[in-house]
Amino acid sequence: MLQALDWLPHSACLWTPLPQPGLDAALHADEAALIADVAPRRRAHFAAGRACAHAALNAIGRDVDVLLRSVDGAPLWPNGVTGSISHCPDAAVAIAADSAHWTALGIDVESDRALPDDAAEYVLSAVERERLAALPGGLARWALSAFAAKECVHKCVHPLGGAFLEFDEVAIHFSFDTAADQAARFTVEPLSVKARIALAGLEWRGKLRRQDGLLFSLLAGR
Ligand SMILES: CC(C)(COP(=O)(O)OP(=O)(O)OC[C@H]1O[C@@H](n2cnc3c(N)ncnc32)[C@H](O)[C@@H]1OP(=O)(O)O)[C@@H](O)C(=O)NCCC(=O)NCCS
């Protein structure tokens, strides 16, 4: 059921297609208590994310019985571990690494469909939309990628220093080897002082990967 994504050195990344009935039975009682009052779909997504996270922790030799969360919703990784979790209607994914190798990790998975126009307008500036529209495949292909990359930014910088960046405080720049590539790289350009401070001091590596009808995105900082 769980499948490995081998795309970042010194880390373990596991994902699973959804739905995957019964995963909530594997939750620790303290994890289950976090989602006691939520709808069944959210419960299933949470459980799938935790299953991937425990598998990733196990793969790096650092699994724990229970993976709780901070008041902001970020997973509380064991000391010395960095990681990230994401889920969408069709899949869940988690990545974990020894923080000696990666200081910040942000992951995202989305069903690979065009981002609705109103959402694209909300998360991308007019300049960014124009730039992405000029790439092979146009805005329909790249708007979702830029949105996902920005979610990864949030998952990296918020646990690091508490910054909550707005979507217009960074711009995402993609590069790829050929137009047909299912993999691409991205960089994050800070557009505000707050974003510059939040991203300062680390070397960032952004990756995208399309497979199985899904778009996986990852930002890693060290
Ligand atoms: C936190 C956020 C990114 C989550 O995105 P989402 O579309 O709801 O869902 P995903 O499945 O991709 O991610 C959910 C997981 O993110 C993780 N998460 C939640 N808050 C987090 C935080 N502050 N820091 C790191 N990870 C966090 C959790 O593991 C959560 O899953 P879980 O509750 O099952 O453990 C989103 O809700 C949000 O607040 N976005 C606005 C901030 C933003 O992206 N700004 C733009 C920055 S340029």
Side-chain angles (χ1 to χ4, degrees), residues 42 45-47 49-50 69-70 72-75 77 83-88 105 107-110 147 149-159 164-170:
R42 164 68 176 128
H45 289 186
F46 177 87
R50 284 299 185 279
R69 66 175 175 218
S70 72
D72 300 314
W77 300 97
S84 183
I85 298 174
S86 179
H87 27 66
C88 68
L105 291 172
I107 201 160
D108 186 77
V109 62
E110 303 287 342
F147 165 68
K150 289 186 183 189
E151 297 257 285
C152 294
V153 171
H154 176 73
K155 290 180 183 179
C156 283
V157 305
H158 191 252
F164 195 110
L165 301 179
E166 301 299 333
F167 285 103
D168 62 0
E169 291 188 86
V170 300

Side-chain angles (χ1 to χ4, degrees), residues 31 63-64 128 132-133 147 156 161 166 178 183-184 216 222:
E31 293 174 338
D63 200 9
V64 285
E128 215 173 359
L132 296 178
F147 165 68
C156 283
E166 301 299 333
T178 69
F216 292 95
R222 64 179 173 191

Side-chain angles (χ1 to χ4, degrees), residues 54-184:
H54 282 294
L57 287 168
N58 189 48
I60 62 166
R62 295 296 310 274
D63 200 9
V64 285
D65 291 339
V66 54
L67 189 56
L68 296 176
R69 66 175 175 218
S70 72
V71 287
D72 300 314
L76 288 172
W77 300 97
N79 281 342
V81 172
T82 314
S84 183
I85 298 174
S86 179
H87 27 66
C88 68
D90 297 319
V93 65
I95 189 166
D98 189 315
S99 38
H101 292 294
W102 297 104
T103 310
L105 291 172
I107 201 160
D108 186 77
V109 62
E110 303 287 342
S111 307
D112 192 8
R113 307 186 186 105
L115 194 66
D117 288 347
D118 55 345
E121 278 178 32
Y122 181 68
V123 300
L124 304 171
S125 70
V127 173
E128 215 173 359
R129 291 201 301 278
E130 201 173 308
R131 191 161 37 73
L132 296 178
L135 296 179
L139 194 59
R141 181 177 177 84
W142 293 100
L144 180 70
S145 309
F147 165 68
K150 289 186 183 189
E151 297 257 285
C152 294
V153 171
H154 176 73
K155 290 180 183 179
C156 283
V157 305
H158 191 252
L160 263 186
F164 195 110
L165 301 179
E166 301 299 333
F167 285 103
D168 62 0
E169 291 188 86
V170 300
I172 305 296
H173 298 268
F174 295 102
S175 57
F176 39 84
D177 296 326
T178 69
D181 265 0
Q182 295 304 302

